[in-house]
Amino acid sequence: MITKEQKEKLAQESKKIADNISHIKHRIVVFSGKGGVGKTMVSVNLSYGLHVHGYKTGILDADITGPNVPKMTGIQGEVHMSGNKIIPQESHGVKIISMANLLSPDQAVIWRGPMRSKMINQFLGDVEWGNMDYLIADLPPGTGDEVLTIAQSMKPDMAIIVTTPQEVSLIDSVRAISMAKKMEISQIALIENMSGLICPDCGHRIDLFGSGGGKKQAEEMNIPFLGAIPINIDARIMADKGKSIVIEKNDADISVVIFQIVNKIENVLGV
Ligand SMILES: Nc1ncnc2c1ncn2[C@@H]1O[C@H](COP(=O)(O)OP(=O)(O)OP(=O)(O)O)[C@@H](O)[C@H]1O
Ligand SMILES: [Mg+2]
């Protein structure tokens, strides 16, 4: 049974979060059924892409136990406080908050769901986001507590589900799409990542993990398909060095597709 005091505390926390994120126009969650499909890669590059298009953008790394956004954006060091607010870090103009910057690299976070949810709520309620056009939350794999917390607290107006073309990922993406539908997120869309590889030497396309399954899945689930992002070796090498392909090489095949997806997001959500 929840006590009156606990109820009041929860209501206060909800209000604090709602007030703090009230100046963020659009809130997007990126998640997937399966791990390792490129959620962080997509979140980071879409954020940069939106920023390049002139929008104030931020990334909330909601992967508390496996935070990878700092690695892919090159942000280092500790976060700073201003009064009782956490100041987000910045990479190429994109504001970022991540658990990784609150820990030493070898420190493991062994927290149960409620603790992870509490941290996410703190990222929403205590970070000085300010006025912003888009905040993108990069979630851990699966349909666990983090997704529920984000849905309840962040009130996203768009969910982007990432899948690879393989059957094992597509099957799991159905669960993720169903969850987004249950959470009544108004815009739900699918991206196929790691969709084919163009050989850098001969230009021949290799469908390493297959291709086309994402589009088909989106049609079957009656949701928009945002695009098929190819495998790009430079993108992976840059990501490992904390650099972004859309910033460094905006004419690469992968960057072109990412900017097309950015256009679609702008069209769907507006500013
Ligand atoms: N289109 C792509 N081309 C090349 N490399 C990619 C592409 N998408 C992702 N990668 C690479 O694949 C690896 C996994 O991607 P990423 O970390 O974004 O997946 P994730 O879904 O966020 O994983 P997790 O479930 O662990 O959070 C990373 O090394 C990333 O740089
Ligand atoms: Mg990730």
Side-chain angles (χ1 to χ4, degrees):
M1 245 270 291
I2 186 163
T3 65
K4 197 170 159 230
E5 286 87 60
Q6 282 169 326
K7 228 181 191 172
E8 271 167 17
K9 212 172 157 223
L10 281 174
Q12 269 170 13
E13 191 183 71
S14 300
K15 186 173 180 315
K16 185 170 139 194
I17 292 173
D19 288 347
N20 199 46
I21 61 173
S22 65
H23 303 290
I24 303 171
K25 285 186 196 147
H26 297 294
R27 301 180 278 264
I28 302 173
V29 282
V30 175
F31 66 109
S32 70
K34 198 174 163 5
V37 294
K39 293 174 293 300
T40 306
M41 170 72 115
V42 166
S43 303
V44 163
N45 284 297
L46 286 182
S47 303
Y48 285 135
L50 284 161
H51 180 75
V52 168
H53 277 199
Y55 299 109
K56 290 194 185 109
T57 309
I59 310 173
L60 186 157
D61 188 350
D63 196 338
I64 303 299
T65 55
N68 289 146
V69 172
K71 172 76 185 162
M72 284 199 200
T73 52
I75 56 161
Q76 285 171 345
E78 288 170 18
V79 291
H80 296 285
M81 302 288 294
S82 169
N84 53 2
K85 288 274 182 190
I86 304 167
I87 307 299
Q89 290 176 300
E90 231 174 278
S91 167
H92 295 287
V94 173
K95 290 183 180 175
I96 296 164
I97 192 75
S98 172
M99 191 68 191
N101 299 97
L102 305 171
L103 301 167
S104 58
D106 60 349
Q107 212 176 337
V109 180
I110 311 165
W111 285 353
R112 290 189 194 275
M115 282 293 281
R116 302 200 299 270
S117 296
K118 210 172 158 199
M119 199 68 217
I120 290 173
N121 279 336
Q122 227 181 318
F123 285 170
L124 288 167
D126 293 339
V127 170
E128 186 64 67
W129 291 112
N131 288 324
M132 207 178 274
D133 297 308
Y134 293 95
L135 179 65
I136 297 186
D138 173 33
L139 283 143
T143 46
D145 283 27
E146 288 86 343
V147 191
L148 276 175
T149 304
I150 280 281
Q152 279 161 6
S153 304
M154 186 177 165
K155 303 201 173 25
D157 49 2
M158 184 170 203
I160 296 177
I161 317 294
V162 181
T163 182
T164 54
Q166 299 108 305
E167 278 296 317
V168 277
S169 173
L170 288 165
I171 290 166
D172 291 351
S173 77
V174 172
R175 272 186 262 280
I177 296 166
S178 301
M179 184 165 186
K181 284 185 176 173
K182 266 199 187 130
M183 295 183 308
E184 295 178 347
I185 299 174
S186 57
Q187 302 290 338
I188 305 165
L190 189 71
I191 288 178
E192 179 176 294
N193 185 33
M194 306 193 192
S195 176
L197 164 76
I198 307 291
C199 171
D201 294 325
C202 68
H204 179 70
R205 181 185 163 107
I206 308 160
D207 277 335
L208 205 58
F209 302 127
S211 74
K215 190 164 190 287
K216 206 166 142 252
Q217 191 72 266
E219 280 162 9
E220 276 169 22
M221 299 286 288
N222 207 15
I223 60 166
F225 181 66
L226 293 180
I229 301 176
I231 299 170
N232 182 295
I233 298 166
D234 286 341
R236 201 270 306 149
I237 294 170
M238 283 182 196
D240 282 347
K241 291 184 182 154
K243 291 184 175 176
S244 156
I245 190 98
V246 301
I247 302 272
E248 308 283 331
K249 239 176 151 182
N250 62 9
D251 59 347
D253 58 353
I254 187 169
S255 305
V256 171
V257 175
I258 287 166
F259 280 115
Q260 284 165 355
I261 295 175
V262 165
N263 286 337
K264 286 187 187 169
I265 294 172
E266 287 171 29
N267 288 337
V268 170
L269 296 180
V271 257

